[in-house]
Structure formats: structure tokens, C-alpha cells
Amino acid sequence: MLTMIRNMLRSKLAGLLFVLLIVAMAAWGVTDVFSGGLGGNLAQAGNTEFSESDLDREVERQLRTATDDRGRSLSKAQAVERGLVDQVYQRELFRTTLVAYASKLGAGATDAEVLDVIREDPAFESDTGAFDPNLYRGLLNQSGFTPASFEKFLKRDLTINRLTGTISAGLQTPEVVSSLQASYSGETRKAQWFFLERDALPEAEPISDDELTAFYDERKDALTNPQRRRVSILNLKVEDFLNQSEFSEDELRSYYDAVKSSQYAGPDTRSWTEFVFESEEEARSALGRIAGGAAPSVIPGLLNSADRTGQMTSMNNRQLAERVFGPTAQPGGIFGPFETGRLFTVARLESITPGEVEPFDAVREEIVDELSREQAIGLYYDSLSQLDNLIGTGASLESIGAEMGTPVLSFAPVDRSGTTQNGVRIAALQADPDILMRAFELTEGGKTSRFGQDETAYILRVDSIVEPFTPDLEDIRDDLRLALEAQRDSEALNTTAQSIQHDIASGALTLEDAAETYDANVVEFDQAFTRVPGPNSQIPPALAAGVFSLKEVGDIYLAPLQTGQAVAVVQLTSIEKPAGDALQAASSAASTEIESQLTNDLLEAFVAEIQSDVKLKVNDGAFSSYKARVNPDT
């Protein structure tokens, strides 16, 4: 039996049967097996669906206000390249999950609530204060909505607001908590300090040879050098070919003339007339009269007409806008009818006012750079085949470099992090993570094939391998002596500072006495400071943080400076906490801050619980297909 089945599966009949099976499944609506149970949707949570048309509508809405760095409107393809579509997609997935959870709880907004919000919105009221259906549809069209899509959008947002609003509805910061927070954040302090310099202390005893030997023996493991490798690299990149490009003024101007309208011009402004009809048949029957310039009053079935002027983003219907603002559109052109909500619109283009164009002289260098790079990219890729042929001949790195006109760079031995024995990090060896990885895979004298990413190619050779070693004491005696001296200086500073701190705490010494003993000046300012000093604060921020770690007036804080040659001895001189009206005002602000932080924390926990309770199914393949249709280059 199994043998018979296997033989049948190899036959042409089996392929025909599979085709018929797929067609039959599609005819009966059984398509979920190919899309993770989502059919044609991008995502689904419970009974809440998120379709491609929902995503496309939201992307188009976002693009109405999105512009590039020159103020030009973005296309969908550009939105994909810049990640805008991915951002919209992720946001809509989150909203889909929230709506599904609200639906599961029975907490979704009702149609009656949606209707109330619409009718009470003053934006949709006529001059008499009554709800105006025509104004309502017109404003929705300008925002890229139909009445049905807007009501769905509004219902979703009302639902989400209700769901998230419940988090903070019952939050109220107790007065004692807000007062504590206000007292904490509003507290101000004053301090005085002086800097205990190493030069003010007695000179250290000379370091003997025995002490240096002991110091060396204690740190032998830390002094051991890891394996290092001396490498040479040939690096071929697009930039190497930039200087090979030359362009005449005529070539530059020809390029400018060819692309100025698309690359160096702002969006044009167009004037058009919109004719609105109740049915598509009426709109189509009126196309001839509209093209002939007939007055609106004699066009049968016309509901209304309007003269409009603006840029592409100001047009109501996206499909109509793409036609009216298309590159081939000319004044007098008739476009439509296109459905706008429950009505049908025809547009007649009246005039085109080009956007402001940047002059040639202002963009000349930019054009030179762009053309040079395009030509350099071509030369670079042409050279790769030559490079591969040279590698195939077994030629040396230097011979390949001479033939390609590219220098071979050699570097001092480095460890796996690209650092020399002297602690210098070689940036050129860290330009690509594969460089050091390959360098430590080769044997001595070994050479790689061509590797690299994007528009850069490398060939690497390991010239020599320096095995791990511990330097002899004699080789590092001077450096080791300096290190031991620095360690003793630091210990002497810390010991003296701690002694000063103890004497002041015991009352045997004042800060002024200690500063005078070590020939230092006490610094003190009248201005009090908070835990986070402002930009105009007179105390160094590093000292301010330590002052607020002290408990009582008179306490001492020691702050070693990064130079290692001084320690700041800081004494707290006053503590002022807010009181009265100042405390009341600070408490109100603290209450709002606390509630905001709690709301955010609760919302994160709430969302995490929702996501575990409502399983969101995502059709990543459908989303990728959408982006590929919008921008085939992705």
C-alpha cells in the first residue's frame, strides 16, 4: 500500500490532484491553512481583526502630515524605507490587542456613544449650532476618512481610552506620601569644602628595590601580555574611486535639469475644481460637460462643486490626489470619478504652480558628490573581479596592492580587542568585526580571501604571532615604579583625609583648621542647592551628590578627584526643608508626579496581563508582502 502511494505521489496525476484540492479549498473559503488561521488579515486577536486595508488607510493618514527634511511629502515607498510603516504596524497591533481585551470584558464603546461624540463635536456644527452632515463628510474626506472608517476609528479610540483610563481613575496619592516626596525633592542644602592636595603632604619615602620586586611579584598575573598578532591589510573601498570622476559643466547642468523637479524642488501647488455626485453613473455621464467647461448650474445630478488650491497632502481623496498631482497631469485634465465616502467626485485640474526650485549654484557641489559616488560605486564593483583574479593567482598582498593602486597597511601587534602592548586601540582593525576574528583564526603567514560588507573589501595577512609573555622586571622597572608611587600617593591622601574626617567628627579640629594646616582655602557659597543642581549652581555636581548622602549638619564627605592627586573634604553646613505654602505647592506637583509614575507602572503591568490573556495572531508574511508591493526594493 505504501509503495503504491509513493508511486502515485511521483506521478503527474498527483500534481493535478493537489491543484484541484487547493482550488476546492479556496472555493469553500478554507484559506487559513496557508496564513496561520488569519485569512487575508494582517493580525487577529479574539474577534478583532486588523486588515491590510486598515493598515493602508492608517499609513495614508500618517503620510498626509509626514515630510522629509526639505519639507516634501513622503511616498509610501519612502515610508517603508524610513521605517514609518513598521512603526504604524506595531502601534496598530498594540491597539488591536487592547480592543480585543475590551471586547472580551464587554467594555467596548457602543454605537450610541460614538454617535453622541460626533454630534457634540463643535467641528461638525453649522453656523446655527446644529450637526451638519455635509460638513461632517467634508472634514472626514480632508483627513482621509469615510464616515464608516471614521466611526470605526472613533469607536476603537473610545474603547482604548476607557480601558486605559480605568487605571488612573482610582489613583489618589495620600497627602502624607506627596508631602514626603515634596520634602525630599524640595530640600536644599549648603556646604563648604577644601581640596587636600598630594603636594601638601610630606614626601613619600623612596621605593627600594626589594619593595619594587615584591610589587612585581604580586602583580605578575596582571602584567602578563596576551597573544598578539601583527597584521597587514589591503582595504579597497568606494571612496578610493571618488577622485577618478570628472564632469563638465554641461553634464552637471544636464543632470540638474533632468532631476530638479523631483529632487531640488519643493512640492508644487495646484488649483482644481471638484464636482460631487450621488452616484457613479451621474458622475460619468457628466464628464463631457465638465471637460467642456460647463457651469455647475447646468450639470445634471451635481450635488455641489468647489474650487480648491493646495498641495497634494491637502486633497481629500488619496487616489484622486495621485492622479491630479501625477507627473503627467496637465491643466484641463479630467480625473475620476472616485468614491469619497458615499459620494463620487470628479476633479478638473485648472492650473499648476511649480514649487520653488533650488538654484543650480546652490546644489552644484551636491550634484558633483552624488554623480561622483555613483560612478565610484560602478568602478568599485568593476574592480572586484580584478581583485579576485589577482587573489586567485596567489600574488602577494603587496603585489595586489600595487596592481590595484591601493596601499597595504601594517600595524603593530594587537590582541583580540585590537589593542597594542602600549594600550593603543587601532581603529582601522575595528572597522569590521570580521577583521580581528579572521586575524586570530589564521596561522602565521596566512592570508584571507576577499571579505567585507556593503561597499568595502578587505584582504588580511598575519605577518607574525607574538605568544603570551610576562615582561621581565628590568624591562618595566621605570613604569612599575611610577605605578607604585601613584598607589602610595593615593593611599597617603585617603589616610590623611580619613584622619581629618575623624578629627572633625570628634571635635578636635574644624574644617577651617584642617584647611589651614594643609595650606588650602575653604570654599563656601551662600546659594543653597537641590539634589540635582541646576546649570547655574556654584557647587560641582560631583560634590552635590555626596552632600545629600550626609545625615546631619557638620558631617564630612570625602570625594577623591579623578586626577588621583587630590581629595575634596566637604562639610554639610545647613539643611532647609520646604514648609508652609512652599510645601503645599510642592506637594501638589509631587502628587501629580507620583500618580503619573504609578499610572505608567500599572499600565505596563496591565498591558503585560492583557497580552498574556489575549493571544495576538500575526501574519508576518502578509505584512512583508504589503511592504514589497509598496516598495519593491525592500
Side-chain angles (χ1 to χ4, degrees), residues 354-373:
E356 184 178 354
V357 179
E358 295 181 70
F360 172 76
D361 291 339
V363 297
R364 184 185 183 282
E365 292 305 315
E366 182 179 338
I367 292 174
V368 170
D369 292 342
E370 185 171 346
L371 292 180
S372 297
R373 183 159 187 83

Side-chain angles (χ1 to χ4, degrees), residues 80-100:
V80 171
E81 290 177 359
R82 299 178 182 219
L84 178 62
V85 171
D86 290 285
Q87 294 174 18
V88 172
Y89 178 61
Q90 292 300 325
R91 184 172 65 244
E92 293 305 306
L93 291 183
F94 176 66
R95 289 174 173 172
T96 299
T97 305
L98 292 181
V99 172

Side-chain angles (χ1 to χ4, degrees), residues 503-622:
D503 289 343
I504 293 175
S506 66
L509 198 66
T510 65
L511 187 79
E512 291 78 4
D513 294 337
E516 185 178 352
T517 300
Y518 295 98
D519 197 24
N521 296 319
V522 174
V523 180
E524 182 175 16
F525 298 110
D526 292 334
Q527 180 187 8
F529 52 88
T530 59
R531 294 177 186 274
V532 182
N536 298 323
S537 177
Q538 295 172 312
I539 185 172
L543 301 188
V547 171
F548 276 89
S549 69
L550 302 175
K551 295 182 178 180
E552 297 180 1
V553 172
D555 286 352
I556 296 293
Y557 166 69
L558 302 178
L561 303 190
Q562 290 184 347
T563 61
Q565 294 297 306
V567 173
V569 182
V570 188
Q571 184 175 42
L572 175 61
T573 59
S574 75
I575 300 175
E576 295 291 337
K577 294 183 178 292
D581 293 341
L583 179 60
Q584 185 65 32
S587 295
S588 178
S591 178
T592 302
E593 181 183 348
I594 292 170
E595 287 176 13
S596 176
Q597 292 173 351
L598 284 175
T599 298
N600 289 336
D601 292 342
L602 288 173
L603 180 59
E604 289 184 12
F606 190 34
V607 168
E609 183 64 25
I610 288 174
Q611 290 175 333
S612 65
D613 188 67
V614 177
K615 303 303 180 184
L616 177 69
K617 298 178 182 178
V618 179
N619 191 344
D620 290 327

Side-chain angles (χ1 to χ4, degrees), residues 242-427:
L242 289 176
N243 294 330
Q244 299 183 23
S245 303
E246 292 185 2
F247 305 97
S248 67
E249 286 299 308
D250 289 341
E251 289 174 321
L252 296 177
R253 284 193 174 274
S254 296
Y255 178 83
Y256 171 76
D257 291 336
V259 303
K260 65 181 180 182
S261 60
S262 59
Q263 292 190 27
Y264 303 118
D268 60 27
T269 300
R270 302 191 178 191
S271 296
W272 68 95
T273 304
E274 291 184 0
F275 302 87
V276 181
F277 299 85
E278 190 169 3
S279 68
E280 185 176 3
E281 292 74 19
E282 290 174 320
R284 290 192 179 281
S285 65
L287 290 177
R289 290 176 180 267
I290 294 172
S297 60
V298 300
I299 298 178
L302 181 66
L303 291 180
N304 60 68
S305 66
D307 295 328
R308 303 189 184 280
T309 298
Q311 296 176 352
M312 185 175 181
T313 53
S314 67
M315 201 165 191
N316 299 341
N317 185 292
R318 190 73 183 179
Q319 289 178 299
L320 191 57
E322 290 175 352
R323 297 292 301 279
V324 173
F325 284 83
T328 59
Q330 296 295 327
I334 306 300
F335 308 96
F338 286 98
E339 187 174 4
T340 53
R342 299 185 181 91
L343 304 176
F344 292 84
T345 301
V346 175
R348 181 176 64 211
L349 181 57
E350 308 294 353
S351 65
I352 300 175
T353 303
E356 184 178 354
V357 179
E358 295 181 70
F360 172 76
D361 291 339
V363 297
R364 184 185 183 282
E365 292 305 315
E366 182 179 338
I367 292 174
V368 170
D369 292 342
E370 185 171 346
L371 292 180
S372 297
R373 183 159 187 83
E374 287 180 3
Q375 192 173 86
I377 290 173
L379 293 172
Y380 165 78
Y381 282 107
D382 289 344
S383 70
L384 291 184
S385 58
Q386 179 187 0
L387 180 62
D388 291 337
N389 290 336
L390 289 170
I391 294 172
T393 64
S396 67
L397 206 59
E398 286 72 20
S399 298
I400 295 174
E403 187 71 25
M404 299 298 299
T406 301
V408 175
L409 304 178
S410 298
F411 301 95
V414 295
D415 61 17
R416 291 180 180 272
S417 69
T419 305
T420 67
Q421 185 176 347
N422 295 329
V424 178
R425 294 177 70 87
I426 308 296

